[in-house]
């Protein structure tokens, strides 16, 4: 965290924001959403207004609007408004990584259930049904392993914070 005695090299921070955004876009995130997420990650508060984001990233408010809408949909950013204020603030979720991957759990469950429905339609003995059964079994395995991983993560955090 930046204190009054701590100086940040804002040029280095801007370069890092763009570097992180590039990595995120290379792994599939929309470019502007990646820039917004990187900007939020590098603020000590983890929270900025759309105007702050537009100014910091030198883009239009419309570009910010689309990016934060995407980030909200995938569960990385929350929109909030302070009582009496007219401007929305966008913030990172607490326990961001856990929350993000927990949302992925729901997607995996839906994917697994869709495979199960396909097996019912195609028959488990057909080649297509066997492929779907393998997909269902793999996704079921992933869910168990992810839940074990989440438990270990919480234990690790508790030990680190103790």
């Amino acid at each position: 965290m930046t204190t009054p005695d701590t100086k940040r090299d804002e040029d280095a921070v801007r370069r890092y924001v763009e570097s992180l955004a590039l990595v995120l876009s290379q792994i599939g995130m929309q470019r502007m959403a990646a820039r917004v997420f990187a900007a939020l990650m590098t603020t000590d508060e983890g929270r900025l207004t759309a105007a702050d984001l537009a100014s910091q990233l030198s883009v239009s408010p419309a570009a910010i609007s689309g990016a934060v809408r995407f980030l909200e949909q995938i569960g990385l950013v929350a929109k909030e408004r302070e009582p009496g204020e007219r401007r929305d603030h966008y913030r990172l979720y607490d326990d961001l990584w856990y929350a993000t991957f927990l949302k992925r759990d729901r997607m995996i469950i839906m994917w697994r259930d869709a495979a199960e429905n396909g097996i019912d339609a195609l028959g488990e003995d057909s080649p297509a049904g066997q492929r779907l059964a393998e997909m269902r079994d793999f996704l079921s395995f992933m869910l168990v392993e992810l839940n074990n991983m989440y438990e270990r993560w919480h234990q690790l955090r508790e030990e680190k914070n103790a």
Side-chain angles (χ1 to χ4, degrees), residues 35 91 137 159:
R35 292 181 74 211
R91 70 169 178 83
D137 295 346
E159 291 168 6

Side-chain angles (χ1 to χ4, degrees), residues 118-143:
I119 294 166
D120 293 343
L122 296 165
E124 196 159 353
D125 294 334
S126 71
Q130 290 173 355
R131 280 193 302 275
L132 287 174
E134 184 172 341
M135 182 170 74
R136 175 206 56 207
D137 295 346
F138 176 77
L139 294 171
S140 293
F141 168 80
M142 286 286 297
L143 288 165

